[in-house]
Amino acid sequence: MPYLLKTEPSVYSFADLQREKTTIWDGVTNPVAVKNLRGMKSGEQLVIYHTGDEKSAVGTASVASVEASDPRNPQVKINVGKPLARPVTLAEMKANKLFADSPLVRQGRLSVVPLSEAQYRLLTDK
């Protein structure tokens, strides 16, 4: 299952991930987001989304490994993918029927959001 990971670009941006090539995605505190992190599996695809002023999906990544021995703080190692051909804004996602029932729209503060395959393709095939 693909996921969307939200990050504040002034704290950690897709450009930071591109420079580092890999990072540990941790420090998530929302119980639903933590559950989503724990449920990730190696090889799953990710979309990196910038919050704040940008509010756009900007790039891809993939899950390298999941260390979930601490149920409250799973540590997901991710590898950089590619920048999207163009950022996809939250407004565009909200306007698309594919996202009508998405936690991205319904639970705006959720930082780790599962995506359907169709949602992932829509974001990454632009």
Side-chain angles (χ1 to χ4, degrees):
M1 168 183 293
Y3 292 88
L4 180 141
L5 301 178
K6 290 182 178 180
T7 183
E8 173 60 50
S10 64
V11 175
Y12 191 84
S13 69
F14 184 69
D16 294 326
L17 179 58
Q18 286 178 299
R19 187 175 52 258
E20 294 175 5
K21 308 284 189 243
T22 188
T23 193
I24 301 293
W25 208 268
D26 63 354
V28 173
T29 57
N30 176 288
V32 175
V34 168
K35 180 182 176 199
N36 289 337
L37 279 177
R38 275 197 321 264
M40 289 182 179
K41 296 179 178 38
S42 281
E44 287 184 314
Q45 296 303 304
L46 306 168
V47 172
I48 306 299
Y49 175 94
H50 283 173
T51 60
D53 292 339
E54 290 186 41
K55 291 185 179 70
S56 299
V58 295
T60 64
S62 61
V63 177
S65 63
V66 179
E67 168 49 55
S69 59
D70 178 351
R72 290 194 179 142
N73 189 24
Q75 301 199 4
V76 177
K77 184 176 184 180
I78 68 170
N79 293 327
V80 70
K82 297 181 178 180
L84 298 183
R86 69 169 187 81
V88 181
T89 67
L90 179 60
E92 289 176 79
M93 291 179 231
K94 284 181 173 182
N96 190 299
K97 289 183 283 190
L98 278 177
F99 286 90
D101 291 328
S102 172
L104 181 66
V105 174
R106 292 184 296 115
Q107 297 172 281
R109 300 200 45 84
L110 190 61
S111 63
V112 180
V113 179
L115 296 172
S116 69
E117 290 294 334
Q119 289 166 338
Y120 178 79
R121 281 193 307 275
L122 179 88
L123 294 174
T124 59
D125 287 347
K126 295 256 178 224

